[in-house]
Amino acid sequence: MTADIYTARRQRLQSKIQHGIAIIPTAPEVARNADTHYDYRHDSHFYYLSGFAEPEAVLLILAGEQPQSILFCREKNLEREIWDGFRHGPEAARTHFGFDAAYPIAQLDEKLPELMGNQSTLFYPLGADAAWDARIIKIREAVKAKARSGIRAPHEIRDVRDLLNEMRLFKDTHELDIMRRAAHISCEAHRRAMRHTRPGQFEYEIEAEFLHEFCRHGARHPAYTSIVAAGANACTLHYVGNNARLNDGDLLLIDAGCELDSYAADITRTFPVNGRFSAAQRDVYEIVLAAQYAAIAAAHPGKHWNDPHEAALHVLVQGFIDLKLCHGSVDSVLESESYKQFYMHRTGHWLGMDVHDVGEYKTGEQWRTLQSGMTLTVEPGCYIRPSDKVPHEFWNIGIRIEDDVLITASGNEVLTQDAPKTVAEIEELMRHD
Ligand code: GLY
Ligand code: MN
Ligand code: MN
């Protein structure tokens, strides 16, 4: 049963906490204008521990002699449910999601001082939300005020995210199953985009192909705003205007992935609008692709976090020298960082419930060792803005190739390998009769 997964995660957190109380609120609803809201997205930590997707909810986890997990959530309200839809209410939430107790959120301020009393440590995401910080601090002050009755307030506040980030860094089989499906849907969307792209269309028409493909597979939202960047727009790393016309001869860089059941896919593909790479485009593309293969080959258990980046960088720098974009030896270009004119970001990030997922990249001063169960992106690129120091045929070429990779016991699994990325695969898929 799915509830068992969340119960087991709460128990793991309890054993890490040992003694104390953890308070984990979900995300607030955010007004868009008047009485409409942005699409609601729960807090990832809260959902990771509860599976509960409604707004206005808080999870309390007590560890120690009498471990308990308690949910505070919205009450049933038939009038509101007629307008806005189903709410579990505390009783159904308790049984459905396996909490020890559940109460109406309106009772939080009244019940929390009692639950917080005599707990040594408060585990809380301090600084994540100012309104929650003020509320929790006020409740702790109210507990302190009971000192003469022999009740002690937690004397220590620790950031519960330090524990949760580490738990979330290692994906369990339930999570990997969802991530594989998110990856599959997103690969299908990239294939669809390659099939539908023609000169003369607008970037937003291709964005629409992604939204269509995501949604029709049950992934109602992209994991982040899709980047659909034609020609020079691809050299703006976070371009999201998506409103320019696709010109014959341009490349189209698309960084888009869906969110499915709270997990992200994050894929970038770059392909020619007219289905055929020019010689200059192909030269740069093959370098980025070789860099990506090198980085994936370095994403193995026992390697450290920075190894894939360093592997990609070596291939890119050699390629930049070969194309006369950079000058000197590989070592001197790395030393001077002149490559940063064309490659200014890192080669990946953790991936999970958040597209830039939680988890430390270093242990002390050392880059973290890659281990089975970690998921990351591998996304080298090359972005060439016009410059009189750069051969003209390369101007405005922007290329990134991004895959999602699971570290396994024996190596890795590329979750997104169904999205074509060799020149031959792309040109074959885009060939129109
Ligand atoms: N799509 C965001 C990223 O690639 O990091
Ligand atoms: Mn990424
Ligand atoms: Mn991306």
Side-chain angles (χ1 to χ4, degrees), residues 224 227 255 266 268 349 355-356 379 400 402:
Y224 51 92
I227 295 169
D255 184 344
D266 183 8
T268 309
H349 50 82
V355 62
H356 291 179
E379 49 178 306
R400 181 164 60 256
E402 176 176 28

Side-chain angles (χ1 to χ4, degrees), residues 122-140:
L122 169 60
F123 290 83
Y124 171 74
L126 197 64
D129 182 300
W132 271 109
D133 288 356
R135 192 168 175 184
I136 297 299
I137 298 297
K138 191 171 164 200
I139 290 172
R140 181 163 170 262

